[in-house]
Amino acid sequence: MATLFANDTTDMSGTAGNAPPIVERIPPIPPRQKAHGPLTAYRLRRFYAMLALVFAAGVAPILLGMSAQWKAFGLGLLFPGAGFLYAGSALSIAFAALSFAAFAVIMFIWWARGVILGPPGVLIGTALLSAAWIEGGSGVAWMEAAIPGAVAVMHLYFAVRRRSTFAAQQARGALLNAELAKAEPILRDHPVVAAPEMPDSQIKEFRRMLDLALQPVDSWTGFGMDDTWQDGALRYQICTMSWNLALGQYTQLPAFHGYLNTAQENLIRKHIDRKTWNYWYWESMWGNLKPDKNPVHIDNIMLTGFLGVSLGLFETASGTSPFKDPGALTFRWDEKTAFPYSHATMLEEVVKNYKRYDLGWFPCEPKWIYSMCNLVGRTSLALHDARHGTDYVGEISDRFEHTMHEEMMMADGRIKVCTSTPFGFQVPSLSGLFGETWGIRFMTPYAPDQAERLWQVLKQDFIRVTDDGMLDFKLLPLGWDTRKPADFSKWPELNPLIMVLWSSLEMGDEAVIAATRKTIDSRYGEGIADSMTWSGRNTVRDMVTKGLPEAWATGPILADATYPEAIVTRAVTDGTALNLVIHPGEGPCRTDLGFARLVPGRSYRLTHTDTPIVAGTDGTARATVSLDGRTAFDLVPAG
């Protein structure tokens, strides 16, 4: 048989056996003599020059002997709340603390929502308030030297710390290279095989996703609506389900279309609904200083790249292309304003955006580049290239790769997760277990050597299998590692553990897979790991580079079943016959099944009931079956 057909109970991760490694050796971390690549360094120099000008403007009123009001304003520019400290009263100290807190909040909002004018606005605003507060009075004279001196010392400390951090990264990189030289590559070039049927907890999650996806496209019952901007936003709820359903179709249900295809199509249509992308108008206005109703043509890879992967995975898993025609993806603002695209033309906009920037990567939130999103965007192009013969990746790959190595990789082999496009600095709290494991499975299709290296680095720095088979993991105190996602789970720590599970599954790292599954189930309940497992070894890589095996692409399929009467938990063809496992969704019942891609006029037999079936001239047939519990069927040619 061309593919695994029987209901094999082997874990999807498989065993390495004699399968050849995808890469012969794990490449070392490239030596880095400078902390930053040339494009990042240029941005940082510009940023430091801007800070120097602000510092000069802040001390000018003191040097020029201007009034206390001007001095308070100038000092307020040096540090949030410093103008109030200059005033010297107990109440003004409280105002200084409030000013600093307001600045900290707006810095977070700047990162989270791209409000680029927020930080300078708060800084100038609090400086003006301090000037108004001190009107008619006099400041504390010694503060005129103390505050500028403290700010200068603070920046000197940061500069020394940056140098020491880089030196530590260089030393860590050398140590890691010694470990990498001894490590064996994990990725193996296995044939594409089907996974076992879904266990009970996975069936429960499957049904939850189907219930959400099969409701009318304009209905949003069950979706979280309390987070427009971040982790729990509709776009991420939708694409998480889209990806899981497509991965599940590829690994467990390649011979089932029916309501599984409908669910994925519905989710894509929800993705282009204005409720999902309405955020962009506001982010563009306060981040790019341009009101823009079109969410596709400028930046916003967190929409287009993620949707592109949903389209590519669905197309690959199902062998269908329902969004290839012009206007099939129409982002409608209102009755008069709409932006029509197809799968291809939307990705052409993604290519244009990659080319717009000298870095060759482009932003999610305005002015913030995320490595994970850009890896996703590249995968969206690769999936389309593989299915349609386009060369989108070829147009951007050289610059993309140069940026990965020169600008985004640190001296210790770690990857910057979030970088400011105008200023060049990164948000260090995001480069942790969640942020860096996130991209692993999107690196395996085109850069398996880089995936091997990063995975080994992360194993050295963040995760370890303990003697009792559990996963010991390190979480950063800020950022995604310990943030509670709005709609993905009840527990913040589960978020990075799921990323470790998905990465280890893609890599086929059996020890980490087992330890992560055991840890998730012990912490959050038996079966939780099963409910999060939708892929296996090389799944994303295989979907890009191999697509559907011939038997899966041409053999018989279950084309139609009734939801929720029949819950299909496995459907695999070997090119001639069809193997099914179906559970009754609402108790024992009789239900109709529709088959397609049969040999016209050929006789078949449904083994569980010994029911004879004859394919029509169009290669379709129907049968009524009884479901009293888990039921396995084989549809095989008769005679």
Side-chain angles (χ1 to χ4, degrees):
M1 294 182 180
T3 60
L4 182 67
F5 180 68
N7 192 23
D8 194 315
T9 57
T10 304
D11 186 3
M12 263 296 287
S13 62
T15 56
N18 295 319
I22 291 175
V23 299
E24 293 185 4
R25 59 184 293 271
I26 300 173
I29 299 165
R32 186 181 292 279
Q33 302 306 316
K34 295 182 178 180
H36 306 288
L39 297 178
T40 301
Y42 167 74
R43 286 164 166 78
L44 286 169
R45 287 194 298 270
R46 184 171 61 188
F47 176 59
Y48 297 142
M50 182 189 72
L51 292 181
L53 288 174
V54 172
F55 187 87
V59 299
I62 296 171
L63 298 176
L64 296 174
M66 299 174 72
S67 69
Q69 274 189 296
W70 276 107
K71 291 176 181 178
F73 175 73
L75 292 172
L77 295 179
L78 298 185
F79 192 83
F84 286 109
L85 288 179
Y86 173 62
S89 69
L91 188 56
S92 64
I93 293 174
F95 286 152
L98 288 173
S99 298
F100 180 77
F103 189 77
V105 169
I106 199 63
M107 286 292 287
F108 172 80
I109 293 174
W110 174 33
W111 162 73
R113 301 183 185 179
V115 187
I116 194 168
L117 295 182
V122 169
L123 191 67
I124 294 170
T126 55
L128 288 170
L129 287 174
S130 68
W133 175 258
I134 206 172
E135 182 180 8
S138 60
V140 180
W142 61 270
M143 287 281 191
E144 295 179 13
I147 290 174
V151 171
V153 168
M154 178 186 70
H155 283 292
L156 179 62
Y157 166 75
F158 287 149
V160 171
R161 185 175 176 180
R162 286 193 295 270
R163 290 180 66 87
S164 64
T165 298
F166 175 58
Q169 288 175 346
Q170 287 178 305
R172 181 65 177 154
L175 291 173
L176 287 170
N177 274 341
E179 297 298 323
L180 291 174
K182 296 182 291 185
E184 289 291 329
I186 298 172
L187 288 166
R188 294 291 187 273
D189 190 15
H190 286 272
V192 178
V193 296
E197 67 185 275
M198 296 180 189
D200 290 343
S201 56
Q202 191 181 19
I203 295 172
K204 183 177 179 181
E205 175 64 10
F206 186 48
R207 293 196 63 179
R208 185 193 73 84
M209 293 190 293
L210 290 173
D211 287 344
L212 292 175
L214 290 173
Q215 64 183 304
V217 173
D218 59 357
S219 176
W220 297 88
T221 303
F223 285 86
M225 297 290 189
D226 56 348
D227 183 357
T228 301
W229 316 100
Q230 288 296 300
D231 305 30
L234 281 175
R235 59 189 178 276
Y236 299 129
Q237 295 177 54
I238 291 168
C239 74
T240 298
M241 286 189 286
S242 292
W243 297 359
N244 285 346
L245 290 175
L247 293 168
Q249 186 170 32
Y250 189 78
T251 57
Q252 294 163 302
L253 300 161
F256 176 45
H257 286 191
Y259 59 73
L260 181 54
N261 279 20
T262 302
Q264 293 176 81
E265 290 185 40
N266 284 357
L267 287 170
I268 289 167
R269 291 191 171 91
K270 284 182 179 293
H271 213 141
I272 63 174
D273 187 285
R274 181 178 160 179
K275 286 185 177 66
T276 302
W277 51 270
N278 186 58
Y279 71 90
W280 183 248
Y281 176 82
W282 303 103
E283 289 207 0
S284 178
M285 183 162 58
W286 60 51
N288 290 332
L289 307 182
K290 177 183 178 182
D292 190 357
K293 296 176 181 178
N294 184 337
V296 171
H297 69 139
I298 295 176
D299 297 347
N300 203 13
I301 196 173
M302 60 186 164
L303 181 80
T304 55
F306 281 59
L307 175 55
V309 166
S310 294
L311 290 160
L313 293 179
F314 170 46
E315 186 176 61
T316 299
S318 68
T320 65
S321 301
F323 297 96
K324 68 180 184 301
D325 295 329
L329 298 171
T330 295
F331 296 80
R332 182 168 297 280
W333 178 266
D334 55 29
E335 292 183 0
K336 296 181 180 179
T337 307
F339 309 100
Y341 293 96
S342 65
H343 185 181
T345 58
M346 187 192 74
L347 293 185
E348 288 168 8
E349 296 292 341
V350 172
V351 172
K352 290 177 185 176
N353 274 284
Y354 275 120
K355 292 180 175 180
R356 285 181 65 229
Y357 291 89
D358 58 353
L359 285 166
W361 292 25
F362 70 99
C364 298
E365 316 292 344
K367 307 296 189 291
W368 292 105
I369 282 180
Y370 287 76
S371 58
M372 58 178 67
C373 295
N374 279 270
L375 290 169
V376 167
R378 190 192 190 288
T379 303
S380 73
L381 303 180
L383 283 162
H384 193 277
D385 287 348
R387 304 290 85 80
H388 298 281
T390 49
D391 189 30
Y392 294 145
V393 170
E395 296 185 50
I396 59 101
S397 60
D398 287 348
R399 179 66 257 181
F400 189 101
E401 282 302 297
H402 190 74
T403 290
M404 172 64 86
H405 286 90
E406 293 294 320
E407 309 292 341
M408 299 301 169
M409 184 184 297
M410 294 179 278
D412 57 0
R414 302 263 306 281
I415 302 297
K416 298 176 184 177
V417 169
C418 178
T419 305
S420 166
T421 54
F423 304 127
F425 58 78
Q426 64 165 317
V427 182
S429 64
L430 299 184
S431 291
L433 186 60
F434 175 87
E436 293 183 73
T437 54
W438 211 101
I440 291 285
R441 60 181 178 166
F442 297 104
M443 297 173 73
T444 60
Y446 78 96
D449 56 338
Q450 295 179 44
E452 291 270 17
R453 179 175 59 205
L454 181 58
W455 181 239
Q456 291 293 337
V457 169
L458 295 176
K459 286 171 66 176
Q460 293 288 327
D461 287 353
F462 289 103
I463 56 178
R464 180 180 65 88
V465 178
T466 62
D467 292 340
D468 60 353
M470 300 290 282
L471 191 75
D472 181 27
F473 55 98
K474 173 187 175 183
L475 300 180
L476 299 184
L478 297 173
W480 277 313
D481 281 2
T482 52
R483 283 183 66 199
K484 180 179 179 181
D487 199 60
F488 294 166
S489 71
K490 300 175 184 177
W491 313 282
E493 296 84 2
L494 182 56
N495 210 23
L497 284 174
I498 291 172
M499 296 304 115
V500 173
L501 178 62
W502 288 350
S503 296
S504 58
L505 284 166
E506 179 71 20
M507 295 297 296
D509 193 324
E510 296 170 44
V512 177
I513 293 169
T516 307
R517 290 173 63 85
K518 184 177 180 180
T519 301
I520 289 173
D521 283 353
S522 67
R523 282 171 169 257
Y524 308 117
E526 192 68 29
I528 296 297
D530 281 340
S531 72
M532 300 296 173
T533 301
W534 297 95
S535 62
R537 181 189 291 273
N538 298 342
T539 298
V540 176
R541 175 179 169 83
D542 286 344
M543 291 184 79
V544 173
T545 62
K546 296 181 180 179
L548 284 173
E550 181 68 17
W552 292 1
T554 60
I557 61 170
L558 178 62
D560 182 39
T562 302
Y563 184 83
E565 284 182 4
I567 309 300
V568 185
T569 62
R570 193 170 193 267
V572 185
T573 177
D574 65 353
T576 302
L578 176 63
N579 172 244
L580 301 171
V581 178
I582 304 177
H583 294 247
E586 305 292 340
C589 65
R590 286 181 61 79
T591 189
D592 286 342
L593 302 177
F595 303 98
R597 296 206 313 224
L598 307 178
V599 177
R602 188 169 190 175
S603 295
Y604 291 82
R605 182 169 55 89
L606 201 57
T607 57
H608 178 72
T609 60
D610 207 29
T611 303
I613 295 174
V614 178
T617 56
D618 59 355
T620 66
R622 300 194 69 81
T624 301
V625 300
S626 295
L627 300 176
D628 296 322
R630 175 193 175 277
T631 307
F633 300 92
D634 286 320
L635 181 69
V636 299

